[in-house]
Amino acid sequence: MFRIGIGNDTHKLAEGRPLMLGGVHVASDRGGEGHSDADALLHAITDAVLGALCEGDIGMHFPDSDPQWKDANSLQLLSRVVWLAHERGLRVINVDATIMLERPQLRPYLLSMRENITEVLGVELSCVSVKAKTAEGLDAVGQGLAVSALAVVLLENAQR
Ligand SMILES: [Zn+2]
């Protein structure tokens, strides 16, 4: 049995906040605003896993109103939903994700992001794809006001 899930996430960018993507600190004068570490890439992947499990969304599992998740490390949030998948007898086959950010260029950081995600998911590097693109100066991402990410994940019944 296969299960597929999709996730997306957007955070407003603010000066003086660290920019976290895929658990990597990206050098930038602005970072994501939010209750946790505002890691849009990890939140999109986490939502995709939850979607594949038909288990609601990240806001339901880690509510903003709960002080436990203030400045939370999103690798830990992802790790929790991966644990939930394992509890259901499912394991991750592969992830494909795209980050949308106008600047800085993310290419030098993509491998580190993939390595972090690979470690949490317990899969090989060749099973985690992270791409980056700009919005060509259009919309909120294009104007440098936001960072956004989109992810799909495929799970398989581990008992096969
Ligand atoms: Zn988020």
Side-chain angles (χ1 to χ4, degrees):
M1 182 191 63
F2 292 100
R3 308 277 306 196
I4 192 167
I6 185 169
N8 78 317
D9 195 47
T10 299
H11 282 272
K12 198 170 161 179
L13 292 172
E15 274 181 36
R17 284 275 301 178
L19 179 59
M20 296 300 296
L21 286 168
V24 175
H25 186 191
V26 174
S28 173
D29 58 348
R30 49 181 66 185
E33 269 189 348
H35 193 66
S36 69
D37 60 11
D39 192 319
L41 174 60
L42 294 182
H43 293 177
I45 296 171
T46 302
D47 243 7
V49 174
L50 286 171
L53 297 175
C54 207
E55 268 290 341
D57 59 41
I58 194 169
M60 277 171 53
H61 288 261
F62 313 106
D64 278 6
S65 52
D66 188 339
Q68 188 183 350
W69 311 120
K70 181 170 162 39
D71 298 321
N73 177 342
S74 295
L75 285 168
Q76 285 173 350
L77 307 189
L78 178 60
S79 164
R80 281 191 174 227
V81 303
V82 169
W83 174 84
L84 197 62
H86 290 164
E87 284 285 290
R88 304 280 156 84
L90 293 158
R91 66 184 180 91
V92 175
I93 300 291
N94 77 305
V95 172
D96 185 21
T98 301
I99 304 166
M100 280 147 285
L101 181 73
E102 206 63 12
R103 61 184 176 275
Q105 272 241 358
L106 294 176
R107 195 163 302 160
Y109 300 97
L110 295 180
L111 179 60
S112 302
M113 293 177 195
R114 290 173 60 213
E115 284 170 347
N116 285 342
I117 296 160
T118 294
E119 200 168 308
V120 173
L121 298 183
V123 297
E124 288 183 17
L125 195 60
S126 62
C127 300
V128 175
S129 156
V130 178
K131 312 183 292 298
K133 62 195 298 181
T134 71
E136 308 248 327
L138 302 167
D139 72 28
V141 168
Q143 285 157 34
L145 302 174
V147 57
S148 197
L150 184 65
V152 287
V153 59
L154 186 67
L155 307 183
E156 181 189 35
N157 197 313
Q159 272 96 53
R160 260 163 50 112

